[in-house]
Amino acid sequence: VSDAENWFCECPKLYSGKLCQFATCDENPCGNGATCFPKSRRDAVCLCPYGRSGILCSDAINISQPSFSGTDVFGYTSFLAYSTIPNITFYYEFHLKLQLANHHSALQDNLIFFTGQKGQGLNGDDFLELGLRNGRVVYSYNLGAGTATIISKPLDLALSVHVIHLGRYLQKGWLKVDDQKNKTVTAPGRLVGLNVFSQFYLGGYREYTPELLPKGSGFKNGFQGCIFDVQVRTSMNQEFKSPGTPEGHPNSGRSVGQCKDSPCSLIECRNGGKCIEGGSTVYCDCLTGWKGAFCTETVSVCEPEHDPPHLCKKGGTCVPLPKGYTCHCPLGTTGTYCEQG
């Protein structure tokens, strides 16, 4: 059977696989909705759904920090699927933290997350995705008139956890990785809305890979390692939230485990910062004067987080000086802090 872009085999009973080459799984021994995969004529493997583990997927496991195994020997990725993220059309921001399983295959060509039109992403279809390629973070989106891509600097492999912030407003996108500088891009063409209808896929993709992965992306493997603290918001004045309905709960998944180490044993907060974790959330709580993923960036005297706050009155612009700051006053005001009419 073939449609315009993809072909697949419709297998008779007792057979499965891309070329209908596998038998067994007819008396499916796997429980709880697992994917049964025939390892040989007489032997089956159960790829467990979210929240289950064991040979026959009969054991319940509690997953607060999901661990993904990439693409297995049968060609399936481990993944979580969350309900479609609402109101993502014109604005979004994502935060997430990653721990890589190893520094070889986990950095070559790995999908971190994806959402797209109809799930398949043909050439002009809208999509949003994040992945790793050649040791760098790759962020791409297509609003329907061509793909915009930002590629980070190579990851600092001395860090055991990486922090990624990314966002988009209309055509303009930005990406900040660990304490690297913020990078920006503008989508080609005139379209400004991201129209996606698929679920939000984390760590991999539901379809058999790699042939059915969305066209725009071409990441060959799923993510290898742990993902903590995925957060999203779709307007500037909204709180960040975990994806899913109810919040933080995936609709489905496959072959996802619980991360072994507690994330705080992996994160080194600098300059007196303290690591805080709860459920799937982990972050550095910085001492006054410090900010950034690991408390390595200084808070400028003019930033709202600075303690004590600057004294420029409403409308006055705070400008940092080598020692202290000065206020640039709008028309009609004067004084050190623009406090006089």
mmCIF file of all heavy atoms in Angstrom, residues 197-232:
data_model
loop_
_atom_site.group_PDB
_atom_site.id
_atom_site.type_symbol
_atom_site.label_atom_id
_atom_site.label_comp_id
_atom_site.label_asym_id
_atom_site.label_seq_id
_atom_site.Cartn_x
_atom_site.Cartn_y
_atom_site.Cartn_z
ATOM 1 N N PHE A 197 -1.470 20.105 14.765
ATOM 2 C CA PHE A 197 -2.618 19.403 15.340
ATOM 3 C C PHE A 197 -2.222 18.110 16.028
ATOM 4 O O PHE A 197 -3.027 17.488 16.690
ATOM 5 C CB PHE A 197 -3.648 19.088 14.239
ATOM 6 C CG PHE A 197 -3.930 20.280 13.367
ATOM 7 C CD1 PHE A 197 -3.566 20.301 12.039
ATOM 8 C CD2 PHE A 197 -4.536 21.415 13.909
ATOM 9 C CE1 PHE A 197 -3.806 21.426 11.245
ATOM 10 C CE2 PHE A 197 -4.774 22.533 13.120
ATOM 11 C CZ PHE A 197 -4.413 22.537 11.793
ATOM 12 N N SER A 198 -0.967 17.666 15.835
ATOM 13 C CA SER A 198 -0.587 16.384 16.418
ATOM 14 C C SER A 198 -0.397 16.554 17.920
ATOM 15 O O SER A 198 -0.329 17.662 18.441
ATOM 16 C CB SER A 198 0.707 15.865 15.788
ATOM 17 O OG SER A 198 1.842 16.446 16.395
ATOM 18 N N GLN A 199 -0.243 15.418 18.594
ATOM 19 C CA GLN A 199 0.122 15.458 20.005
ATOM 20 C C GLN A 199 1.546 16.018 20.131
ATOM 21 O O GLN A 199 2.249 16.196 19.138
ATOM 22 C CB GLN A 199 0.056 14.053 20.597
ATOM 23 C CG GLN A 199 -1.324 13.433 20.517
ATOM 24 C CD GLN A 199 -1.344 12.085 21.210
ATOM 25 O OE1 GLN A 199 -1.648 11.997 22.390
ATOM 26 N NE2 GLN A 199 -1.011 11.039 20.486
ATOM 27 N N PHE A 200 1.958 16.271 21.364
ATOM 28 C CA PHE A 200 3.316 16.742 21.649
ATOM 29 C C PHE A 200 4.139 15.506 22.021
ATOM 30 O O PHE A 200 3.885 14.866 23.035
ATOM 31 C CB PHE A 200 3.264 17.751 22.793
ATOM 32 C CG PHE A 200 4.615 18.255 23.215
ATOM 33 C CD1 PHE A 200 5.306 19.163 22.436
ATOM 34 C CD2 PHE A 200 5.188 17.833 24.407
ATOM 35 C CE1 PHE A 200 6.553 19.634 22.828
ATOM 36 C CE2 PHE A 200 6.430 18.302 24.815
ATOM 37 C CZ PHE A 200 7.116 19.201 24.020
ATOM 38 N N TYR A 201 5.084 15.140 21.138
ATOM 39 C CA TYR A 201 5.875 13.920 21.331
ATOM 40 C C TYR A 201 7.193 14.264 22.006
ATOM 41 O O TYR A 201 7.927 15.129 21.534
ATOM 42 C CB TYR A 201 6.153 13.249 19.989
ATOM 43 C CG TYR A 201 4.915 12.644 19.374
ATOM 44 C CD1 TYR A 201 4.191 13.327 18.395
ATOM 45 C CD2 TYR A 201 4.454 11.400 19.789
ATOM 46 C CE1 TYR A 201 3.046 12.774 17.847
ATOM 47 C CE2 TYR A 201 3.313 10.840 19.236
ATOM 48 C CZ TYR A 201 2.608 11.535 18.274
ATOM 49 O OH TYR A 201 1.471 10.996 17.741
ATOM 50 N N LEU A 202 7.506 13.546 23.078
ATOM 51 C CA LEU A 202 8.746 13.783 23.822
ATOM 52 C C LEU A 202 9.622 12.533 23.734
ATOM 53 O O LEU A 202 9.151 11.424 23.996
ATOM 54 C CB LEU A 202 8.397 14.086 25.282
ATOM 55 C CG LEU A 202 9.537 14.555 26.200
ATOM 56 C CD1 LEU A 202 10.049 15.922 25.775
ATOM 57 C CD2 LEU A 202 9.067 14.611 27.652
ATOM 58 N N GLY A 203 10.886 12.719 23.346
ATOM 59 C CA GLY A 203 11.853 11.622 23.378
ATOM 60 C C GLY A 203 11.871 10.747 22.144
ATOM 61 O O GLY A 203 12.843 10.036 21.911
ATOM 62 N N GLY A 204 10.814 10.773 21.349
ATOM 63 C CA GLY A 204 10.741 9.910 20.169
ATOM 64 C C GLY A 204 9.403 10.100 19.487
ATOM 65 O O GLY A 204 8.732 11.113 19.686
ATOM 66 N N TYR A 205 8.983 9.099 18.720
ATOM 67 C CA TYR A 205 7.794 9.263 17.887
ATOM 68 C C TYR A 205 7.037 7.943 17.843
ATOM 69 O O TYR A 205 7.630 6.872 17.894
ATOM 70 C CB TYR A 205 8.243 9.680 16.483
ATOM 71 C CG TYR A 205 7.151 10.224 15.615
ATOM 72 C CD1 TYR A 205 6.386 11.315 16.036
ATOM 73 C CD2 TYR A 205 6.899 9.670 14.369
ATOM 74 C CE1 TYR A 205 5.384 11.826 15.227
ATOM 75 C CE2 TYR A 205 5.898 10.183 13.555
ATOM 76 C CZ TYR A 205 5.146 11.260 13.999
ATOM 77 O OH TYR A 205 4.165 11.759 13.194
ATOM 78 N N ARG A 206 5.709 8.022 17.736
ATOM 79 C CA ARG A 206 4.872 6.819 17.794
ATOM 80 C C ARG A 206 5.146 5.867 16.632
ATOM 81 O O ARG A 206 5.171 4.659 16.801
ATOM 82 C CB ARG A 206 3.400 7.240 17.756
ATOM 83 C CG ARG A 206 2.433 6.070 17.703
ATOM 84 C CD ARG A 206 1.013 6.537 17.492
ATOM 85 N NE ARG A 206 0.601 7.465 18.524
ATOM 86 C CZ ARG A 206 0.257 7.125 19.764
ATOM 87 N NH1 ARG A 206 0.274 5.856 20.119
ATOM 88 N NH2 ARG A 206 -0.100 8.043 20.631
ATOM 89 N N GLU A 207 5.329 6.421 15.422
ATOM 90 C CA GLU A 207 5.436 5.571 14.239
ATOM 91 C C GLU A 207 6.736 4.782 14.268
ATOM 92 O O GLU A 207 7.710 5.168 14.894
ATOM 93 C CB GLU A 207 5.432 6.430 12.958
ATOM 94 C CG GLU A 207 4.282 7.390 12.841
ATOM 95 C CD GLU A 207 2.947 6.701 12.618
ATOM 96 O OE1 GLU A 207 2.933 5.471 12.403
ATOM 97 O OE2 GLU A 207 1.931 7.388 12.665
ATOM 98 N N TYR A 208 6.730 3.718 13.507
ATOM 99 C CA TYR A 208 7.949 2.945 13.276
ATOM 100 C C TYR A 208 8.963 3.891 12.645
ATOM 101 O O TYR A 208 8.640 4.629 11.728
ATOM 102 C CB TYR A 208 7.594 1.825 12.315
ATOM 103 C CG TYR A 208 8.614 0.730 12.246
ATOM 104 C CD1 TYR A 208 8.571 -0.317 13.157
ATOM 105 C CD2 TYR A 208 9.593 0.721 11.270
ATOM 106 C CE1 TYR A 208 9.484 -1.341 13.086
ATOM 107 C CE2 TYR A 208 10.508 -0.307 11.194
ATOM 108 C CZ TYR A 208 10.455 -1.349 12.102
ATOM 109 O OH TYR A 208 11.359 -2.362 12.034
ATOM 110 N N THR A 209 10.181 3.936 13.149
ATOM 111 C CA THR A 209 11.154 4.877 12.590
ATOM 112 C C THR A 209 12.158 4.116 11.734
ATOM 113 O O THR A 209 12.241 2.914 11.835
ATOM 114 C CB THR A 209 11.908 5.594 13.719
ATOM 115 O OG1 THR A 209 12.544 4.600 14.495
ATOM 116 C CG2 THR A 209 10.981 6.430 14.555
ATOM 117 N N PRO A 210 13.012 4.786 10.933
ATOM 118 C CA PRO A 210 12.987 6.225 10.727
ATOM 119 C C PRO A 210 12.119 6.652 9.546
ATOM 120 O O PRO A 210 11.928 7.835 9.322
ATOM 121 C CB PRO A 210 14.454 6.542 10.439
ATOM 122 C CG PRO A 210 14.981 5.290 9.802
ATOM 123 C CD PRO A 210 14.178 4.150 10.350
ATOM 124 N N GLU A 211 11.553 5.699 8.790
ATOM 125 C CA GLU A 211 10.883 6.084 7.536
ATOM 126 C C GLU A 211 9.708 7.026 7.754
ATOM 127 O O GLU A 211 9.407 7.849 6.906
ATOM 128 C CB GLU A 211 10.370 4.847 6.785
ATOM 129 C CG GLU A 211 11.465 4.030 6.156
ATOM 130 C CD GLU A 211 11.959 2.944 7.088
ATOM 131 O OE1 GLU A 211 11.709 3.050 8.312
ATOM 132 O OE2 GLU A 211 12.591 2.001 6.593
ATOM 133 N N LEU A 212 8.989 6.880 8.875
ATOM 134 C CA LEU A 212 7.765 7.658 9.023
ATOM 135 C C LEU A 212 7.938 8.909 9.871
ATOM 136 O O LEU A 212 6.972 9.572 10.199
ATOM 137 C CB LEU A 212 6.650 6.779 9.618
ATOM 138 C CG LEU A 212 6.196 5.629 8.720
ATOM 139 C CD1 LEU A 212 5.071 4.854 9.373
ATOM 140 C CD2 LEU A 212 5.741 6.132 7.365
ATOM 141 N N LEU A 213 9.176 9.223 10.243
ATOM 142 C CA LEU A 213 9.358 10.483 10.982
ATOM 143 C C LEU A 213 9.013 11.652 10.079
ATOM 144 O O LEU A 213 9.183 11.579 8.865
ATOM 145 C CB LEU A 213 10.803 10.617 11.457
ATOM 146 C CG LEU A 213 10.983 10.406 12.950
ATOM 147 C CD1 LEU A 213 12.461 10.369 13.284
ATOM 148 C CD2 LEU A 213 10.300 11.469 13.778
ATOM 149 N N PRO A 214 8.542 12.747 10.679
ATOM 150 C CA PRO A 214 8.117 13.906 9.879
ATOM 151 C C PRO A 214 9.208 14.380 8.932
ATOM 152 O O PRO A 214 10.380 14.353 9.267
ATOM 153 C CB PRO A 214 7.838 14.960 10.944
ATOM 154 C CG PRO A 214 7.524 14.167 12.149
ATOM 155 C CD PRO A 214 8.352 12.932 12.094
ATOM 156 N N LYS A 215 8.779 14.829 7.748
ATOM 157 C CA LYS A 215 9.710 15.176 6.673
ATOM 158 C C LYS A 215 10.688 16.271 7.056
ATOM 159 O O LYS A 215 11.847 16.213 6.741
ATOM 160 C CB LYS A 215 8.930 15.679 5.455
ATOM 161 C CG LYS A 215 8.453 14.563 4.570
ATOM 162 C CD LYS A 215 9.601 14.020 3.757
ATOM 163 C CE LYS A 215 9.238 12.718 3.091
ATOM 164 N NZ LYS A 215 8.856 11.659 3.997
ATOM 165 N N GLY A 216 10.204 17.325 7.730
ATOM 166 C CA GLY A 216 11.080 18.462 7.960
ATOM 167 C C GLY A 216 12.232 18.141 8.867
ATOM 168 O O GLY A 216 13.216 18.867 8.938
ATOM 169 N N SER A 217 12.156 17.033 9.596
ATOM 170 C CA SER A 217 13.071 16.887 10.713
ATOM 171 C C SER A 217 14.271 16.017 10.401
ATOM 172 O O SER A 217 15.403 16.414 10.572
ATOM 173 C CB SER A 217 12.323 16.299 11.896
ATOM 174 O OG SER A 217 11.847 15.023 11.538
ATOM 175 N N GLY A 218 14.016 14.806 9.951
ATOM 176 C CA GLY A 218 15.122 13.922 9.625
ATOM 177 C C GLY A 218 16.008 13.555 10.795
ATOM 178 O O GLY A 218 17.164 13.237 10.597
ATOM 179 N N PHE A 219 15.511 13.597 12.036
ATOM 180 C CA PHE A 219 16.292 13.018 13.131
ATOM 181 C C PHE A 219 16.085 11.516 13.092
ATOM 182 O O PHE A 219 14.969 11.032 13.040
ATOM 183 C CB PHE A 219 15.856 13.578 14.493
ATOM 184 C CG PHE A 219 16.335 14.986 14.715
ATOM 185 C CD1 PHE A 219 15.475 16.051 14.583
ATOM 186 C CD2 PHE A 219 17.660 15.241 15.028
ATOM 187 C CE1 PHE A 219 15.917 17.355 14.756
ATOM 188 C CE2 PHE A 219 18.115 16.536 15.205
ATOM 189 C CZ PHE A 219 17.239 17.586 15.075
ATOM 190 N N LYS A 220 17.204 10.762 13.106
ATOM 191 C CA LYS A 220 17.085 9.322 12.859
ATOM 192 C C LYS A 220 16.734 8.529 14.112
ATOM 193 O O LYS A 220 16.158 7.458 14.033
ATOM 194 C CB LYS A 220 18.393 8.811 12.270
ATOM 195 C CG LYS A 220 18.687 9.441 10.915
ATOM 196 C CD LYS A 220 19.549 8.556 10.055
ATOM 197 C CE LYS A 220 19.678 9.081 8.628
ATOM 198 N NZ LYS A 220 19.595 10.533 8.504
ATOM 199 N N ASN A 221 17.120 9.023 15.281
ATOM 200 C CA ASN A 221 16.933 8.252 16.502
ATOM 201 C C ASN A 221 16.146 9.024 17.541
ATOM 202 O O ASN A 221 16.021 10.239 17.457
ATOM 203 C CB ASN A 221 18.290 7.870 17.104
ATOM 204 C CG ASN A 221 19.026 6.900 16.217
ATOM 205 O OD1 ASN A 221 18.505 5.845 15.887
ATOM 206 N ND2 ASN A 221 20.218 7.277 15.799
ATOM 207 N N GLY A 222 15.661 8.296 18.537
ATOM 208 C CA GLY A 222 15.023 8.948 19.675
ATOM 209 C C GLY A 222 16.079 9.434 20.651
ATOM 210 O O GLY A 222 17.272 9.148 20.518
ATOM 211 N N PHE A 223 15.628 10.162 21.668
ATOM 212 C CA PHE A 223 16.528 10.697 22.692
ATOM 213 C C PHE A 223 17.070 9.568 23.559
ATOM 214 O O PHE A 223 16.367 8.591 23.824
ATOM 215 C CB PHE A 223 15.749 11.706 23.542
ATOM 216 C CG PHE A 223 16.601 12.376 24.587
ATOM 217 C CD1 PHE A 223 17.525 13.328 24.218
ATOM 218 C CD2 PHE A 223 16.491 12.023 25.925
ATOM 219 C CE1 PHE A 223 18.334 13.936 25.166
ATOM 220 C CE2 PHE A 223 17.291 12.624 26.879
ATOM 221 C CZ PHE A 223 18.215 13.585 26.501
ATOM 222 N N GLN A 224 18.324 9.713 24.009
ATOM 223 C CA GLN A 224 18.926 8.713 24.901
ATOM 224 C C GLN A 224 19.342 9.400 26.191
ATOM 225 O O GLN A 224 20.309 10.150 26.203
ATOM 226 C CB GLN A 224 20.150 8.077 24.247
ATOM 227 C CG GLN A 224 19.818 7.291 23.003
ATOM 228 C CD GLN A 224 21.063 6.772 22.302
ATOM 229 O OE1 GLN A 224 22.145 6.778 22.864
ATOM 230 N NE2 GLN A 224 20.901 6.336 21.074
ATOM 231 N N GLY A 225 18.583 9.146 27.250
ATOM 232 C CA GLY A 225 18.900 9.755 28.532
ATOM 233 C C GLY A 225 17.625 10.167 29.244
ATOM 234 O O GLY A 225 16.548 9.642 28.952
ATOM 235 N N CYS A 226 17.756 11.111 30.175
ATOM 236 C CA CYS A 226 16.611 11.542 30.979
ATOM 237 C C CYS A 226 16.219 12.971 30.611
ATOM 238 O O CYS A 226 17.076 13.786 30.283
ATOM 239 C CB CYS A 226 16.957 11.504 32.457
ATOM 240 S SG CYS A 226 17.398 9.850 33.002
ATOM 241 N N ILE A 227 14.920 13.247 30.684
ATOM 242 C CA ILE A 227 14.420 14.610 30.469
ATOM 243 C C ILE A 227 13.669 15.028 31.726
ATOM 244 O O ILE A 227 12.779 14.311 32.185
ATOM 245 C CB ILE A 227 13.499 14.695 29.235
ATOM 246 C CG1 ILE A 227 14.272 14.257 27.977
ATOM 247 C CG2 ILE A 227 12.958 16.104 29.063
ATOM 248 C CD1 ILE A 227 13.467 14.304 26.687
ATOM 249 N N PHE A 228 14.072 16.158 32.323
ATOM 250 C CA PHE A 228 13.398 16.666 33.516
ATOM 251 C C PHE A 228 12.672 17.955 33.166
ATOM 252 O O PHE A 228 13.132 18.718 32.319
ATOM 253 C CB PHE A 228 14.399 17.052 34.622
ATOM 254 C CG PHE A 228 15.488 16.052 34.849
ATOM 255 C CD1 PHE A 228 16.814 16.386 34.633
ATOM 256 C CD2 PHE A 228 15.184 14.777 35.283
ATOM 257 C CE1 PHE A 228 17.823 15.468 34.846
ATOM 258 C CE2 PHE A 228 16.187 13.854 35.490
ATOM 259 C CZ PHE A 228 17.512 14.200 35.283
ATOM 260 N N ASP A 229 11.580 18.199 33.862
ATOM 261 C CA ASP A 229 11.100 19.566 33.972
ATOM 262 C C ASP A 229 10.778 20.212 32.630
ATOM 263 O O ASP A 229 11.264 21.299 32.342
ATOM 264 C CB ASP A 229 12.212 20.376 34.682
ATOM 265 C CG ASP A 229 11.675 21.617 35.338
ATOM 266 O OD1 ASP A 229 10.457 21.732 35.458
ATOM 267 O OD2 ASP A 229 12.476 22.472 35.724
ATOM 268 N N VAL A 230 9.982 19.530 31.784
ATOM 269 C CA VAL A 230 9.518 20.180 30.546
ATOM 270 C C VAL A 230 8.419 21.158 30.941
ATOM 271 O O VAL A 230 7.458 20.780 31.602
ATOM 272 C CB VAL A 230 8.938 19.159 29.547
ATOM 273 C CG1 VAL A 230 8.487 19.873 28.277
ATOM 274 C CG2 VAL A 230 9.965 18.094 29.230
ATOM 275 N N GLN A 231 8.576 22.422 30.565
ATOM 276 C CA GLN A 231 7.614 23.457 30.925
ATOM 277 C C GLN A 231 7.298 24.277 29.689
ATOM 278 O O GLN A 231 8.181 24.516 28.867
ATOM 279 C CB GLN A 231 8.223 24.398 31.974
ATOM 280 C CG GLN A 231 8.660 23.697 33.239
ATOM 281 C CD GLN A 231 7.578 23.755 34.287
ATOM 282 O OE1 GLN A 231 7.243 24.804 34.807
ATOM 283 N NE2 GLN A 231 7.005 22.609 34.577
ATOM 284 N N VAL A 232 6.054 24.717 29.569
ATOM 285 C CA VAL A 232 5.675 25.507 28.397
ATOM 286 C C VAL A 232 4.702 26.597 28.812
ATOM 287 O O VAL A 232 3.947 26.437 29.775
ATOM 288 C CB VAL A 232 5.043 24.595 27.303
ATOM 289 C CG1 VAL A 232 3.805 23.875 27.814
ATOM 290 C CG2 VAL A 232 4.724 25.365 26.034
#
